Structures are given as structure tokens and as C-alpha cells.
């Protein structure tokens, strides 16, 4: 009898790990965004950050991870409370897949609060969010974010840039990771 030996460096299944394997990374997409956007309202506005991916299997999941460079300039000083609170929403296409906790005054997921109101409150932050999505499709998907202020107070900026104050342009980014189900 004759025996044969096949030697290879690596065998990669077309759609990631074998069908009985769990948690394998199929593909990663990363986008960096530097455009400045601002909001002074409880109405959500696009941050300009978005990334697209085409899942290789409808049963796979997409880990949506993002970070925003945030500067929130506080509201008026003639009130008893000054809020620098805001929320960031996640969309798949035009559908909201994550909406921050909110009440009738707007979203209150990130930021700060000054109870004496005697000074402007300014909040600098770099919120990081991870959301595991099950889009159940092999069609191209675009994920994006929107931001809004609590109580219409102050101005929240994404990627705030001032040539007087800033020496390096701020960045936000989004990473989409397709994971085998």
C-alpha cells in the first residue's frame, strides 16, 4: 500500500471556522472618522461615523464597537442645574437597534451634572460601546450612530476641534467584527 502526506501551512474554511465551531472571527471592518458634529437638542443627529459590512452567513453575529471623542459644553449658568448629559444611538441602516435610556427630558447615558448651577460644566469623554447584533442577512449592512442632548442643554460635540485649543485632531472610530454563531 502507498501512503501520501499532504503538508500545508493552514486550511481556512470559506466562511470562518467549521460549522461546529463557535466564536470564530470571520472578518473585521474598521473606520476612523474625524469630522466635527454638534447637537444642542433632544433630537438625535448623525455623528457622521458609519461602517459597512457584508456578512458571510446569515446566522453569524456582528459585534458593533465604537468610540467617540466627546466634548460637552454645559448649559446656561442662570439655572439651578447644569447638565452635560447626552446619549448615543446605534442604527443598522435606518433602523434603531439601540436607543439610550431616556425620559421626557431626553437621553441620559453619558456625561455630567452640576447641581449648583453657578459655573459652566464642561465634560470631556471617550465613551466606548459594544453591541452584539444578529442581523440575519448576507446583504450589505451599514451601522451608524446618532447623538442627542439631555434637556436641550449645552452643546455636545463629536470630534471637537479648535485650532486654538487643539494640537491633534480628535478621532472617533467604529469596528465591525463578524463572529460565527
Amino acid at each position: 500500500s502507498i501512503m501520501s502526506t499532504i503538508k500545508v501551512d493552514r486550511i481556512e474554511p470559506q466562511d470562518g471556522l467549521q460549522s461546529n465551531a463557535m466564536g470564530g472571527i470571520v472578518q473585521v471592518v474598521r473606520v476612523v472618522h474625524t469630522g466635527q458634529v454638534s447637537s444642542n437638542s433632544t433630537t438625535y443627529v448623525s455623528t457622521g461615523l458609519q461602517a459597512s459590512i457584508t456578512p458571510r452567513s446569515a446566522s453569524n453575529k456582528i459585534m458593533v464597537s465604537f468610540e467617540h471623542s466627546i466634548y460637552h459644553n454645559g448649559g446656561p449658568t442662570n439655572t439651578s442645574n447644569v447638565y452635560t448629559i447626552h446619549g448615543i444611538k446605534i442604527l443598522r441602516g435606518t433602523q434603531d437597534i439601540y436607543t439610550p435610556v431616556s425620559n421626557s427630558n431626553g437621553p441620559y447615558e453619558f456625561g455630567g451634572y452640576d447641581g449648583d448651577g453657578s459655573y459652566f460644566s464642561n465634560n470631556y469623554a471617550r465613551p466606548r460601546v459594544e453591541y452584539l447584533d444578529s442581523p440575519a442577512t448576507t446583504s450589505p449592512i451599514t451601522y451608524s450612530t446618532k447623538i442627542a442632548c439631555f434637556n436641550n442643554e449645552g452643546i455636545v460635540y463629536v470630534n471637537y476641534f479648535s485650532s486654538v485649543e487643539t494640537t491633534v485632531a480628535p478621532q472617533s472610530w467604529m469596528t465591525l467584527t463578524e463572529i460565527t454563531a
Side-chain angles (χ1 to χ4, degrees):
S1 92
I2 299 174
M3 301 221 349
S4 298
T5 302
I6 298 175
K7 294 183 179 182
V8 297
D9 291 331
R10 181 172 65 211
I11 296 176
E12 292 185 17
Q14 179 178 345
D15 294 325
L17 296 177
Q18 295 84 356
S19 60
N20 62 346
M22 300 295 285
I25 294 175
V26 178
Q27 62 176 315
V28 177
V29 174
R30 181 174 169 83
V31 172
V32 176
H33 178 65
T34 58
Q36 179 177 294
V37 173
S38 65
S39 171
N40 63 352
S41 165
T42 58
T43 302
Y44 282 90
V45 299
S46 173
T47 65
L49 178 64
Q50 66 177 35
S52 299
I53 193 168
T54 302
R56 295 200 183 132
S57 171
S59 63
N60 289 348
K61 298 185 181 308
I62 305 295
M63 177 65 79
V64 180
S65 306
F66 66 86
E67 289 189 18
H68 278 298
S69 174
I70 299 289
Y71 165 58
H72 196 140
N73 186 318
T77 58
N78 59 352
T79 63
S80 60
N81 302 314
V82 177
Y83 299 98
T84 54
I85 302 174
H86 48 275
I88 301 171
K89 185 182 278 197
I90 306 171
L91 290 84
R92 181 194 328 116
T94 58
Q95 178 186 358
D96 296 345
I97 58 171
Y98 175 75
T99 300
V101 62
S102 61
N103 62 24
S104 60
N105 292 322
Y108 56 93
E109 191 165 53
F110 302 106
Y113 164 74
D114 181 1
D116 65 18
S118 59
Y119 300 99
F120 276 95
S121 291
N122 295 308
N123 182 284
Y124 293 87
R126 180 157 207 91
R128 175 172 173 74
V129 175
E130 288 187 336
Y131 180 86
L132 187 61
D133 189 31
S134 300
T137 185
T138 56
S139 297
I141 307 167
T142 298
Y143 291 94
S144 60
T145 58
K146 290 186 173 183
I147 195 163
C149 287
F150 178 77
N151 206 38
N152 299 310
E153 285 206 30
I155 304 173
V156 63
Y157 295 90
V158 175
N159 297 334
Y160 176 77
F161 182 82
S162 164
S163 59
V164 175
E165 301 171 7
T166 312
T167 58
V168 176
Q171 297 180 349
S172 297
W173 52 77
M174 179 180 287
T175 304
L176 304 177
T177 306
E178 182 179 0
I179 303 166
T180 54

